Amino acid sequence: MSSSTSELRDQPECWTKGEYVVSTDVSRIPIKTLNTWYAGEEFYWAKPMPESALRETLQNSLCFGLYHDPDQTLSQSVKTPENDALADSTIEFVGFARCVTDYTTFLFLTDVFVLTSLQGRGLGTWLVSCVQEVIETMPYLRRSLLLTRDWKRSVPFYEKVMDMELMVCNPPVDGKDAVGFAIMQRKSWGAPGVGEKP
């Protein structure tokens, strides 16, 4: 692991597990495929966006791509214009996680996804464990957060894999003060179900 997480922007990390690779090299993420995932029902918290906007979003985030790489060409190669390992037809983009972070004090985990056909094989746990490994190298991290509405699966999963604590706000009742944190959101034009910008 790099001595500074900010080095990940210039020196991507790779993890391997059998025929699978996790890489923080954002240039390897196929924009069209990711946008197709965003359009799917499983990605209920997002929707597709123009490719230029998605590319900029990825470049401004710490991204973890999960790839099926039976020949291990991705982990063994250096990507250059002459040697684009992802162009190899044996490599398949199969999962993703994105962190919005200042690389120092704050990290927000979002867009965690593994293809349905590969779920149940421990790949999601491994992908999130790679994220957690990076989090643990951030000496000044104040908080890492995530949001989920999948109470049955995601809450226990993130409690176990990332040692996350559920932050619940109990609203004022009978004149007593609210207790705990409230995670709130304001939906804007980029959120699913909000109509088009006038």
Side-chain angles (χ1 to χ4, degrees):
M1 182 56 51
S2 299
S3 59
S4 167
T5 52
S6 62
E7 291 177 12
L8 287 171
R9 289 177 278 200
D10 301 318
Q11 300 172 2
E13 292 287 337
C14 247
W15 296 260
T16 58
K17 181 179 182 180
E19 295 186 346
Y20 294 90
V21 175
V22 170
S23 172
T24 60
D25 186 349
V26 70
S27 69
R28 296 190 183 276
I29 296 170
I31 301 289
K32 289 181 188 298
T33 302
L34 184 57
N35 238 350
T36 300
W37 292 355
Y38 277 4
E41 290 181 14
E42 291 179 314
F43 239 102
Y44 61 83
W45 61 92
K47 65 181 184 179
M49 60 182 86
E51 287 187 17
S52 60
L54 181 53
R55 185 172 288 107
E56 186 171 355
T57 297
L58 298 179
Q59 290 170 348
N60 289 318
S61 301
L62 172 58
C63 298
F64 294 74
L66 172 62
Y67 306 90
H68 181 231
D69 182 17
D71 299 330
Q72 296 297 305
T73 54
L74 187 65
S75 60
Q76 296 173 10
S77 67
V78 175
K79 184 180 179 189
T80 66
E82 299 80 32
N83 178 27
D84 183 353
L86 200 54
D88 185 327
S89 61
T90 64
I91 300 173
E92 181 186 6
F93 182 49
V94 297
F96 181 65
R98 182 170 69 89
C99 300
V100 181
T101 183
D102 63 3
Y103 289 88
T104 308
T105 63
F106 177 78
L107 183 139
F108 178 78
L109 175 62
T110 188
D111 295 348
V112 178
F113 179 77
V114 174
L115 289 177
T116 305
S117 60
L118 296 175
Q119 291 177 8
R121 301 183 186 191
L123 294 172
T125 300
W126 178 54
L127 174 63
V128 171
S129 296
C130 294
V131 174
Q132 183 64 19
E133 184 178 325
V134 170
I135 287 173
E136 290 173 1
T137 67
M138 301 172 75
Y140 306 107
L141 184 69
R142 293 180 185 156
R143 184 169 288 114
S144 54
L145 296 174
L146 62 85
L147 298 174
T148 181
R149 73 177 194 200
D150 185 349
W151 285 77
K152 289 184 179 178
R153 294 184 308 162
S154 293
V155 170
F157 173 80
Y158 288 112
E159 285 175 336
K160 179 181 177 184
V161 177
M162 297 186 75
D163 200 27
M164 288 279 188
E165 294 180 6
L166 185 61
M167 298 190 309
V168 178
C169 177
N170 298 311
V173 176
D174 298 329
K176 295 181 181 178
D177 289 340
V179 178
F181 290 91
I183 299 176
M184 303 177 74
Q185 71 171 341
R186 177 182 180 270
K187 287 189 174 183
S188 190
W189 300 111
V194 173
E196 297 298 322
K197 191 172 182 178

